[in-house]
Amino acid sequence: ALEGSLPGPANTPSASAMASLPPGDQGSTGLAAVRASALGLAKVAEDDTSEDLTSRGRALAGYAEDLSHWCDPRRNPTSYRTCQESAGSAIEGLLTVVLRVQKQEVRVAALAALARLAFGNTTNVASIAASESIGKVTSIAFQPVLEFRQQEENLAVL
C-alpha cells in the first residue's frame, strides 16, 4: 500500500539530475522586466535621504518579486543567468530596501531577490559582499533569531 510513496532509490532523482541546471544564458525571457525593476531599485539606492520607504513598500516588493521570478532557474531556465547579470545594478537598492522598509514581507522579498541574484553568480556575490550595507542588513535579518535566543536564555534562568 505504501509502495511508491516512500523516498528511496526508485523514487528520488539521481544526484547528477539534481545537480544539473539549465544553462540560463540562451534567451532573453524576462530581461525587460528585470531591467525595469533593477532601474527602480537602483533609484532607491541613489536617494541620499534616509527616509522610511515603507510607503513605497508595495512597489519595491513588486520589483524584488520580479527579480526573484526571472532569476529563478526553475521558472526561467533559458534566461535566468542573463537576468542575473542584468539585475546586478539592483543589489544596492535591494539592500537599501531591507534597511529602510519596516514591513517584514517587503524585507523578505528583497532578501529572497538577493539570494536569487547571488545563486551561482560570483560577480553578484562579490558585489553583495563588498557592499557597505551588508553588515547592517545581516544584523537586521538575524535580529529575530537573536531575540528568540535571548528570550530562551531568560526562560532558562527562571
Side-chain angles (χ1 to χ4, degrees), residues 36-65 92-94 96-98 100-107 109-110:
S37 294
L39 180 63
L41 288 161
K43 287 180 182 177
V44 168
E46 293 169 1
D47 180 14
D48 288 340
T49 68
S50 59
E51 75 173 281
D52 180 18
L53 296 172
T54 301
S55 63
R56 295 174 49 196
R58 181 176 289 157
L60 297 172
Y63 291 150
E65 289 164 359
E92 285 300 326
L94 289 166
T96 301
V97 167
V98 175
R100 293 177 36 201
V101 174
Q102 299 303 311
K103 291 184 179 180
Q104 185 174 5
E105 60 271 12
V106 178
R107 288 180 176 177

Side-chain angles (χ1 to χ4, degrees), residues 6-107:
L6 298 175
N11 299 321
T12 56
S14 69
S16 63
M18 288 176 31
S20 65
L21 286 170
D25 58 358
Q26 299 175 337
S28 59
T29 304
L31 198 52
V34 165
R35 286 180 178 154
S37 294
L39 180 63
L41 288 161
K43 287 180 182 177
V44 168
E46 293 169 1
D47 180 14
D48 288 340
T49 68
S50 59
E51 75 173 281
D52 180 18
L53 296 172
T54 301
S55 63
R56 295 174 49 196
R58 181 176 289 157
L60 297 172
Y63 291 150
E65 289 164 359
D66 280 351
L67 294 179
S68 287
H69 176 84
W70 295 114
C71 294
D72 183 344
R74 287 180 297 126
R75 293 181 176 157
N76 190 13
T78 61
S79 307
Y80 75 96
R81 290 192 193 276
T82 305
C83 289
Q84 283 177 319
E85 290 171 16
S86 183
S89 62
I91 289 171
E92 285 300 326
L94 289 166
L95 293 168
T96 301
V97 167
V98 175
L99 294 174
R100 293 177 36 201
V101 174
Q102 299 303 311
K103 291 184 179 180
Q104 185 174 5
E105 60 271 12
V106 178
R107 288 180 176 177

